[in-house]
Amino acid sequence: MARRSKADAEKTHERLLDAAARLYGERGYADTSISDICADLGITKGALFHHFKSKDALFREVWTRLQVEMDNEAREAAIAARSLTDPYAAFMAGSRTYLKYVARQDFQQIVLIDGPAVLGLKGWYESDHDLGIQNVTAGVRYLSKKGLVAPENVEPIAIMLQSALNGAGFALLRDTDGTSAERFHKAFETMVKSLR
C-alpha cells in the first residue's frame, strides 16, 4: 500500500474539520459522535484519530478555525472601510462583521453554546479574548490616535468593548425582545462614539 503524501494528509485534515464544523453547527457537540463524522466522510475512526487525539481536540480546532475566520473577515472589513472623514468607519465595519457571525446558527452553536461547555468557561474566555483582543485594541488605539480616546484608556476600553460584543452575541442567541444584529450594531456605534 502506498504511503499517503503530506498533501493528502492535509486535505484529509481539512475535510475532517469541514465535516465536524458542519455537524457540530447543525447538531451540537454532544449530539455529534466521532462515528457520525467518520461516516459522513467515509473514513475509519483510526484515520480521524491519526489527525486528532480526541473529540475535544477536534472541537477545539473547529472552534479556533471559526473564530479566526471571523477575526480575519472583521479585519478585512475594517481595512476596506477606512475613511479620511469618519474615524469610526473601520472600527464599526469590523464590529458589524462580528455581529453578522454571531447571528449565524453554526457560530452560535459552536462558539457560544458548545465552546464554554467543551473548553470550560475559563478556557473559553481566555481563548476568545486572546483571539479577538488584537483587532479590538487596534481599533481603539486608532481612535486614540485621532484624539477620540485617552491613551491610558485604550486597553481597558478594548476589553470592555470586546465583552460588549460578546454580550450582544449571547443576547442574539437567546433571541428575546426582537433583538437583531442590526439593532445591536446601532447601539454599539452609539456607545463607541460616546467614548472619550
Side-chain angles (χ1 to χ4, degrees):
M1 179 181 227
R3 289 179 51 93
R4 293 175 58 93
S5 70
K6 184 176 179 180
D8 288 338
E10 288 174 3
K11 185 177 178 182
T12 299
H13 189 88
E14 287 303 310
R15 287 181 61 226
L16 282 163
L17 289 171
D18 291 343
R22 184 174 41 75
L23 293 171
Y24 291 154
E26 291 170 1
R27 304 177 187 176
Y29 175 84
D31 292 332
T32 302
S33 69
I34 291 294
S35 295
D36 294 333
I37 296 165
C38 292
D40 188 77
L41 293 174
I43 64 171
T44 65
K45 287 183 183 180
L48 184 143
F49 287 121
H50 174 75
H51 292 274
F52 301 97
K53 68 179 183 178
S54 66
K55 183 181 175 187
D56 285 359
L58 173 58
F59 177 83
R60 175 174 277 285
E61 195 162 333
V62 166
W63 184 91
T64 301
R65 187 174 78 156
L66 187 54
Q67 288 275 61
V68 168
E69 174 188 308
M70 181 276 302
D71 194 58
N72 288 339
E73 192 174 318
R75 186 179 309 109
E76 290 169 10
I79 290 168
R82 286 182 181 159
S83 167
L84 295 175
T85 58
D86 181 1
Y88 296 100
F91 193 89
M92 297 315 303
S95 67
R96 182 179 298 282
T97 298
Y98 174 79
L99 290 168
K100 177 184 81 172
Y101 267 78
V102 296
R104 286 177 23 186
Q105 192 269 332
D106 65 327
F107 192 90
Q108 290 177 347
Q109 184 65 52
I110 293 168
V111 174
L112 301 178
I113 296 171
D114 291 332
V118 177
L119 306 175
L121 189 55
K122 183 178 184 215
W124 177 87
Y125 176 79
E126 289 173 355
S127 295
D128 180 72
H129 174 80
D130 292 346
L131 286 169
I133 198 63
Q134 292 89 1
N135 279 351
V136 178
T137 302
V140 177
R141 191 169 286 123
Y142 176 79
L143 295 176
S144 178
K145 286 179 185 175
K146 294 294 186 181
L148 301 169
V149 172
E152 65 273 14
N153 290 337
V154 168
E155 283 78 17
I157 286 175
I159 291 168
M160 288 187 283
L161 290 177
Q162 184 183 19
S163 296
L165 286 168
N166 280 336
F170 283 108
L172 286 168
L173 176 64
R174 288 192 313 272
D175 193 24
T176 58
D177 300 327
T179 57
S180 69
E182 187 57 35
R183 284 183 63 202
F184 276 113
H185 188 263
K186 286 179 182 177
F188 187 74
E189 183 173 25
T190 300
M191 184 173 67
V192 169
K193 288 183 175 180
S194 71
L195 298 172
R196 287 283 177 218

